[in-house]
Amino acid sequence: MRRADRLFQIVQFLRSRRLTTAQWLAERLQVSVRTIYRDIQDLSLSGVPLEGEAGVGYVLRQPMDLPPLMFEREEIEALLIGAQMVKAWADPQLRRAAESALAKIHGVLPNALRDEFNRNQLFAPEVNHYPVHWLAQVRQAIRQRRKLQLGYRDENGQASLRRIWPLGLFFWGQTWTLCSWCELRNDFRNFRIDRVEHLNDTEESFETAEGQRLADYLAPYLGNAALAPRYKS
């Protein structure tokens, strides 16, 4: 990566996070922490409104506008295939959002890259009609931190009624699972979306405590996502 590109990426990371350490930046950009310190110093001297110190982290003191992004060809391909996967496996609202995002990207590309965009040869066809009708409601409940009541049938055909706190959705290539805090089990549980038979918003909000957060659930599996259980009801 060119140094100019690395400096740009550092500013992008700082814009999207509240506090960013040099160690975190070094790991993402695959350079040494010493290099990040030099880059931070150069950015500060060039007028970027940075605040922070080594060992603590850095933030932008005020919003900062950057010029339009210039995508590389592989970045365009990544966006295209990602959007097509969303259109194939997500709910209608996310599908429309993916189409809208692609239209916006297409509108700001220079002619040469727009031609590359139009010649796309990567596809993610919808080969199965996956039941995604619950996804939009679940996504909204996660955002609003609203409890859900769902009727669920497990892999053995056993039906149950659960009151859950929805925490996060996971896509496994062919199935979606909902990670939640289950009031019945008083523990984390995962539910396959295609096994949900009915779902209702209780209109009751929830607040997670330590040990009930999505971060707590993921902690044992960070660094090895393949070990994470796909569902457990």
Side-chain angles (χ1 to χ4, degrees), residues 178-206:
L178 169 62
C179 177
S180 61
W181 183 264
C182 178
E183 292 186 352
L184 177 65
R185 304 300 187 192
N186 195 34
D187 199 356
F188 294 110
R189 286 295 185 269
N190 290 287
F191 301 94
R192 275 181 49 160
I193 295 298
D194 58 331
R195 291 179 180 159
V196 174
E197 297 187 328
H198 61 84
L199 183 148
N200 297 303
D201 185 342
T202 67
E203 299 185 356
E204 182 180 349
S205 62
F206 67 87

Side-chain angles (χ1 to χ4, degrees), residues 94-113:
L94 278 184
R95 292 174 186 174
R96 289 193 293 269
E99 292 174 350
S100 176
L102 287 177
K104 291 177 181 178
I105 293 170
H106 185 274
V108 300
L109 289 175
N111 290 335
L113 289 180

Side-chain angles (χ1 to χ4, degrees), residues 135-148 164-168 200-208:
L135 285 181
Q137 189 173 353
V138 171
R139 290 192 298 105
Q140 183 177 24
I142 291 172
R143 286 197 305 269
Q144 297 179 348
R145 306 181 72 80
R146 299 272 285 269
K147 295 182 182 181
L148 295 174
I164 64 169
W165 307 0
L167 302 176
N200 297 303
D201 185 342
T202 67
E203 299 185 356
E204 182 180 349
S205 62
F206 67 87
E207 288 295 333
T208 55

Side-chain angles (χ1 to χ4, degrees), residues 54 144 169 175 184 227:
Q144 297 179 348
L169 281 165
T175 59
L184 177 65
L227 295 178

